[in-house]
Amino acid sequence: MLYLSTRGHPDRKRFCEILLEGLAPDGGLYLPESYPQVDGAALARWRSVLNEQGYAALAFEVLSLYIDDIPADDLRRLCEKTYTAEVFGTAEIVPLKALEEGLYLEALSNGPTLAFKDMAMQLLGNLFEYELARRGEQLNILGATSGDTGSAAEYAMRGKQGVRVFMLSPHGRMSPFQQAQMFSLMDENIHNIAVEGVFDDCQDIVKSVSNDLDFKRRYRIGTVNSINWARLLAQVVYYFAGYFYATKSNDDKVSFCVPSGNFGNVCAGHVARQMGLPIGRLMVATNENDVLDEFFRTGTYRVRGSADTFETSSPSMDISKASNFERFVFDLLGRDAARTRHLFDESLRLHGRFELGEDPLFGQAASRFGFASGRSTHADRLATIRSTFECQGVVIDTHTADGVKVAREQRQTGEVVVVLETALPIKFAETIREAIGREPQRPARFEGIEQLPKRMRVMAADTVAVKRYIAEHCPLA
Ligand SMILES: *Cc1c(COP(=O)(O)O)cnc(C)c1O
């Protein structure tokens, strides 16, 4: 299996080469040269693999179609080490909950940080440790977070050999629960830097450190952001699992509704569908930051400035541009790399938008690729959390509520829709209280977490100071 860049770079790479890389050298995103096809016989076999051997065994089946530069026994061991009931709370790993007629929730947020990002990040941590050991290399992950991504990365990398994490977050701006999750980690390889500023200041520092190529090389700086192909690949697995849990036969179809921000999660659904999983529709649910809903309704993709990016009560979907979207557009355009490059490099850079509404290919987003979309607001979120609690007795988080809202609105008679549950309500307690006037349940292991000692360094929003801190804490190899 070889990987190409969506912008047409002539090089082809193997999985472990792109594992530790971010963007392709031409600024594109990596995709497999073609999607491996899963026929009826393979689907039948995978259904029994899941039922008889469990999620980790299914993960191995899916991953091994895309990874041919890790020996099969090692890859199987990495999957078994990652997807355990101990880490993800249940033997099913991603159990389904029936909501109402034709509607299910797929629980993806019972991992260490209570958000679906654990599903991919936990595997990434094990893959990184494995590959770095094999190469005898070290990696220093530098990132900026306003909540979910940073904690998922830290819980995945804690205690791993060869990896250090330097995570910048805006001082005093994360919820007390999120701060406690991150800052209570005492592992030596985890460094929390609380920057006196906002999230954008943190991100600017990461960018300017990464732009210093000499520093980046010298200190082996890397990232774990959502464009990483390995993260996306790990997410493909739970579409297969969700499908098998929701159906009795492989003749059935299932649609998925996915709370979306950077288009990483739903892009994994697109990959599963391209492989031949019988997915009916892929519904993209956004909040007030509706870049993606606008595209699927009109064919216009218009990135937003920071003044037009709203702070909402589903904050992990507050994005101004969807960093994984280029992968889907590349497929929509019949894998025309020159055209993809033109849209994402020139049109977006010069005009902040591109328009495909007039192009006959745009119609295929729905007809051939199965996409639909919808948006949700704070008021919708409250109403959805309330009605789901009152009618089904289930408390859902704000992001999942955006998904349930859109699924209820879009679902056609007879259609089975699985909504991906992307976080647990305890992470967004304030809005839950506003919706139903009660405190969301807290898993026992998070009891009293706010009272634990905290370990972090407060620092001015100053690139030089951050570089100095990294240099002091990275013995050069
Ligand atoms: C990251 C995140 C999302 C958005 O996922 P994308 O892959 O960026 O589309 C949705 N909900 C929660 C809780 C998240 O943490």
Side-chain angles (χ1 to χ4, degrees), residues 12 45 121 236 242 248 317 349 420:
R12 295 289 179 271
R45 195 169 63 79
M121 210 69 96
V236 172
K248 294 215 160 55
M317 290 153 60
R349 198 159 35 80
L420 299 187

Side-chain angles (χ1 to χ4, degrees), residues 29-297:
L29 304 185
Y30 286 113
L31 275 179
E33 278 189 314
S34 63
Y35 298 112
Q37 294 303 299
V38 181
D39 60 14
L43 268 184
R45 195 169 63 79
W46 285 8
R47 183 184 285 276
S48 51
V49 165
L50 177 65
N51 289 336
E52 286 155 29
Q53 301 166 49
Y55 189 93
L58 176 68
F60 169 74
E61 295 291 333
V62 177
L63 264 50
S64 58
L65 296 181
Y66 290 91
I67 304 175
D68 53 15
D69 50 353
I70 295 178
D73 286 345
D74 292 357
L75 186 59
R76 190 184 289 278
R77 219 170 301 124
L78 289 168
C79 291
E80 284 166 359
K81 182 173 162 190
T82 304
Y83 297 109
T84 64
E86 195 191 3
V87 174
F88 287 96
T90 62
E92 297 102 312
I93 308 294
V94 291
L96 279 201
K97 233 182 292 192
L99 270 191
E100 62 222 36
E101 166 81 46
L103 211 60
Y104 294 91
L105 280 183
E106 182 173 356
L108 304 180
S109 11
N110 296 314
T113 72
L114 310 183
F116 87 97
K117 291 189 173 68
D118 291 330
M119 293 299 305
M121 210 69 96
Q122 288 288 318
L123 180 71
L124 200 67
N126 286 326
L127 284 170
F128 273 17
E129 185 177 55
Y130 174 85
E131 181 59 17
L132 288 167
R134 198 157 71 158
R135 297 182 186 193
E137 285 178 12
Q138 306 233 334
L139 183 71
N140 294 303
I141 293 165
L142 175 64
T145 187
S146 53
D148 287 345
T149 309
S151 54
E154 292 187 351
Y155 279 77
M157 304 298 164
R158 64 188 294 198
K160 293 277 185 291
Q161 295 295 317
V163 191
R164 271 183 219 93
V165 178
F166 296 88
M167 193 57 67
L168 312 188
S169 60
H171 185 39
R173 284 174 193 263
M174 292 189 298
S175 74
F177 187 87
Q178 287 175 318
Q179 294 188 34
Q181 262 189 329
M182 286 177 60
F183 299 163
S184 63
L185 289 179
M186 295 293 151
D187 306 77
E188 278 204 27
N189 68 330
I190 303 297
H191 299 267
N192 282 302
I193 302 177
V195 172
E196 292 173 319
V198 294
F199 173 66
D200 283 336
D201 297 315
C202 300
Q203 207 154 31
D204 287 346
I205 294 173
V206 170
K207 272 186 207 149
S208 80
V209 173
S210 305
N211 286 339
D212 181 345
L213 293 184
D214 195 45
F215 185 89
K216 193 176 164 190
R217 213 166 297 129
R218 193 173 156 86
Y219 289 100
R220 307 191 175 281
I221 303 291
T223 57
V224 287
N225 50 27
S226 81
I227 55 151
N228 184 296
W229 167 256
R231 277 182 66 180
L232 208 136
L233 180 56
Q235 294 171 349
V236 172
V237 180
Y238 56 68
Y239 283 87
F240 280 90
Y243 173 83
F244 293 134
Y245 287 149
T247 57
K248 294 215 160 55
S249 136
N250 297 331
D251 298 328
D252 296 334
K253 278 204 167 174
V254 169
S255 296
F256 286 88
C257 185
V258 188
S260 296
N262 275 315
F263 204 76
N265 200 354
V266 74
C267 194
H270 164 69
V271 171
R273 197 174 183 277
Q274 292 309 106
M275 291 170 72
L277 183 66
I279 293 178
R281 296 192 295 161
L282 288 165
M283 303 170 186
V284 177
T286 75
N287 63 19
E288 292 89 333
N289 296 293
D290 56 359
V291 191
L292 290 167
D293 179 44
E294 183 178 6
F295 175 79
F296 285 106
R297 275 187 298 107

